[in-house]
């Protein structure tokens, strides 16, 4: 199957749209919803319908006493660059069923807040990149020559990192901001 289990962690394969199956698999791995839990997604929710991703987000917010959800995914998809991205993916039979929730940083945050999370923040990758220490930017840019900096900037303006928290007052989760 799609399971890697050890004493310290478990990795499972599951259809995130099938919450009863997901929950069953997590219980078999001795998931403890009372422990602080970090949930991470990378370009996952955009492939689900808004209803399916909302159900997943609600389930996660209601299942764990203390949790943080981190999501990396598309944003600003209403502009011309975003529309070209969507068209290119569609030509490859890759439909972004949840792209309507990726209109802006605000829509990304609102999706989290409206589905049970207490706090939510979001930043596009260009802004995040611009805040890195200059020495690290120089190191990164020396790894490979970038002659299309404008294209990279456009691409990074169309991806974001957003995060939400629930509980964790003693851990300082609410204080995690950008």
């Amino acid at each position: 199957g799609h399971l890697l289990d050890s004493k310290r962690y478990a990795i499972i394969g599951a259809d995130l749209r099938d919450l009863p199956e997901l929950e069953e698999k997590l219980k078999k791995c001795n998931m403890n919803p009372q422990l602080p839990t970090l949930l991470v997604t990378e370009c996952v929710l955009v492939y689900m319908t808004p209803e399916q991703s909302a159900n997943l987000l609600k389930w996660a917010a209601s299942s764990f006493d203390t949790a943080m959800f981190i999501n990396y995914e598309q944003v600003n998809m209403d502009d011309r660059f975003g529309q070209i991205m969507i068209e290119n993916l569609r030509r490859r039979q890759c439909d972004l069923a949840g792209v309507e929730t990726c209109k802006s940083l605000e829509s990304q945050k609102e999706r989290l807040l409206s589905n049970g999370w207490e706090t939510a923040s979001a930043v596009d990758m260009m802004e995040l990149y611009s805040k890195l220490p200059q020495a690290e930017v120089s190191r990164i840019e020396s790894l490979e020559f970038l002659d299309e900096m404008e294209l990279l900037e456009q691409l990074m303006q169309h991806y974001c990192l957003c995060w939400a928290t629930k509980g964790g007052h003693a851990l300082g989760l609410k204080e995690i901001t950008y």
Side-chain angles (χ1 to χ4, degrees), residues 26 37-41 59-61 64 67-71 117:
L26 290 170
T37 303
L38 175 64
L39 304 137
V40 181
T41 58
W59 171 84
F64 301 97
M68 182 173 195
F69 187 90
I70 300 174
N71 181 37
W117 293 90

Side-chain angles (χ1 to χ4, degrees), residues 49-117:
T49 66
E51 181 182 335
Q52 292 165 335
S53 66
N55 289 339
L56 177 65
L57 292 168
K58 283 178 195 167
W59 171 84
S62 66
S63 294
F64 301 97
D65 295 340
T66 300
M68 182 173 195
F69 187 90
I70 300 174
N71 181 37
Y72 172 79
E73 136 178 293
Q74 290 89 341
V75 71
N76 299 324
M77 297 303 282
D78 270 352
D79 69 10
R80 185 66 188 136
F81 190 89
Q83 292 303 306
I84 290 171
M85 285 174 63
I86 293 167
E87 290 167 18
N88 288 339
L89 287 165
R90 216 173 260 144
R91 269 184 252 149
R92 293 177 177 93
Q93 284 76 47
C94 186
D95 188 38
L96 302 177
V99 75
E100 69 188 63
T101 59
C102 301
K103 292 181 186 227
S104 67
L105 294 174
E106 281 305 311
S107 68
Q108 288 281 11
K109 290 189 292 189
E110 180 54 35
R111 170 169 62 170
L112 294 163
L113 293 171
S114 66
N115 286 299
W117 293 90

Side-chain angles (χ1 to χ4, degrees), residues 156-170:
M156 290 201 310
Q157 290 168 349
H158 287 83
Y159 282 88
C160 71
L161 189 64
C162 46
W163 60 97
T165 64
K166 178 189 172 239
H169 307 293

